[in-house]
Amino acid sequence: LLGDSAAFIEHLLRVLNDRRRCERFFPKGISGFSSTSAVLFLLGQYCDNLRASPEPCLVLNKRSKRVKQAGDLCFPGGRVMPRFDFYLSKILGLPLFPLARWPYWHRWRDLRQGESRRLALLFAASLRESLEEMRLNPLLVKFLGPLSPQRLEMFHRVIYPMAGWIIGQKRFFPNWEVEKIVSIPLRDLLNADRYACYRLQMETRQNNKGKRITQDFPCFLHQNRDEREVLWGATYRITTVFLELVFGFSPPPMDALPVIHGSLDK
């Protein structure tokens, strides 16, 4: 599948939109929740590595030093702007636009009207944020379907991932929020030897007193040229849900993984 992008995209469309997976993703009033965020789970054949030919990759942003959790890998996205994203969602459903090109859109619109409106709103928000953060052309994204939402307890937020495939765009222009674009070949994400235990020392504040705690998280190590990136947290969880769904792949248990160390300030 990884050697045939057309067959791979068809496989993704089938798996992500299996009727048995039609759980209720999008509750009513979602656009008014301050905790709601939409991200674009971005795939394509854009790879900044040294391989002879392009292959399917996961495309991520690396947070700049001017935002929270600087240096972390994340998907492009952010909070919903209800009024603006509502109008953008209507445009996306017009002929030749990404939602109208999605083979499952008419089924959603006819059988799940309320959820289809909320799905369109979240997809619009993820595209708008991707345009702002990395100058991704919304018209060059093929919508593949929604992934299961993820709850961030630490930040009281729910992330709604929308899967998309980049059609043709090879260059991106990150804004001030993004240090650089990082692409990870899916073939590497299916290599169990690339996973590790991220032992993170975190600084917290309780009763106006500083306190440091240590907690272990599963992570993936991406090595590209002389640079190493750590994929962890919600971005890691969304990625591993995708890998399990599409390839039936699960990372090794954390107690069997090598340990790397990191820190997170308050």
Side-chain angles (χ1 to χ4, degrees):
L1 280 175
L2 294 179
D4 184 341
S5 60
F8 182 53
I9 291 171
E10 288 302 315
H11 176 68
L12 291 177
L13 284 167
R14 286 195 301 271
V15 171
L16 296 182
N17 298 283
D18 189 327
R19 290 188 179 185
R20 291 172 297 175
R21 296 188 58 258
C22 288
E23 56 258 62
R24 298 293 174 179
F25 282 163
F26 314 118
K28 292 182 180 180
I30 196 171
S31 63
F33 298 161
S34 60
S35 60
T36 299
S37 293
V39 300
L40 196 58
F41 186 92
L42 199 54
L43 300 162
Q45 287 193 306
Y46 167 83
C47 277
D48 56 351
N49 56 45
L50 301 176
R51 303 191 183 202
S53 59
E55 59 179 291
C57 292
L58 181 64
V59 182
L60 300 155
N61 288 342
K62 183 175 182 178
R63 296 175 182 269
S64 76
K65 294 180 180 179
R66 300 170 66 182
V67 298
K68 293 179 180 179
Q69 288 185 258
D72 277 4
L73 298 180
C74 66
F75 301 113
R79 291 183 177 175
V80 174
M81 296 175 60
R83 185 172 299 178
F84 186 87
D85 292 333
F86 170 78
Y87 290 110
L88 179 56
S89 70
K90 296 298 183 184
I91 295 173
L92 294 176
L94 296 176
L96 304 180
F97 281 79
L99 268 181
R101 299 198 307 261
W102 183 43
Y104 298 88
W105 174 238
H106 296 290
R107 181 194 300 172
W108 273 73
R109 193 178 57 185
D110 295 341
L111 300 180
R112 307 171 69 178
Q113 295 181 5
E115 282 216 299
S116 70
R117 290 193 293 271
R118 295 189 282 275
L119 179 147
L121 184 75
L122 292 164
F123 182 47
S126 70
L127 283 178
R128 172 183 52 76
E129 289 282 349
S130 300
L131 173 62
E132 293 175 7
E133 292 176 13
M134 57 191 294
R135 299 298 182 263
L136 177 69
N137 186 339
L139 298 180
L140 295 181
V141 175
K142 182 180 183 69
F143 184 50
L144 301 173
L147 292 167
S148 300
Q150 294 288 323
R151 185 175 298 276
L152 277 67
E153 299 295 344
M154 187 182 296
F155 298 104
H156 308 291
R157 190 175 305 163
V158 181
I159 297 178
Y160 292 88
M162 302 284 133
W165 182 273
I166 304 169
I167 307 170
Q169 185 170 346
K170 299 297 183 183
R171 297 186 64 192
F172 302 98
F173 301 92
N175 72 354
W176 60 272
E177 300 170 90
V178 180
E179 178 184 326
K180 64 178 180 179
I181 309 300
V182 175
S183 61
I184 304 176
L186 293 185
R187 193 181 304 276
D188 290 352
L189 287 163
L190 297 171
N191 182 351
D193 293 337
R194 298 293 188 99
Y195 290 83
C197 169
Y198 194 27
R199 185 155 294 165
L200 195 59
Q201 194 172 74
M202 296 180 287
E203 184 179 345
T204 64
R205 190 167 290 279
Q206 295 178 347
N207 301 323
N208 294 321
K209 294 181 179 180
K211 181 181 179 181
R212 300 186 74 85
I213 61 173
T214 300
Q215 189 170 346
D216 290 347
F217 299 89
C219 72
F220 173 86
L221 300 178
H222 172 56
Q223 190 75 37
N224 187 31
R225 300 182 177 90
D226 297 326
E227 298 179 341
R228 187 178 75 170
E229 309 290 351
V230 179
L231 175 64
W232 73 289
T235 308
Y236 173 92
R237 293 202 306 272
I238 294 169
T239 301
T240 53
V241 166
F242 171 84
L243 296 175
E244 169 66 28
L245 191 63
V246 174
F247 299 102
F249 173 85
S250 296
M254 194 162 61
D255 57 6
L257 296 173
V259 176
I260 64 169
H261 296 269
S263 62
L264 187 68
D265 64 26
K266 63 179 181 296

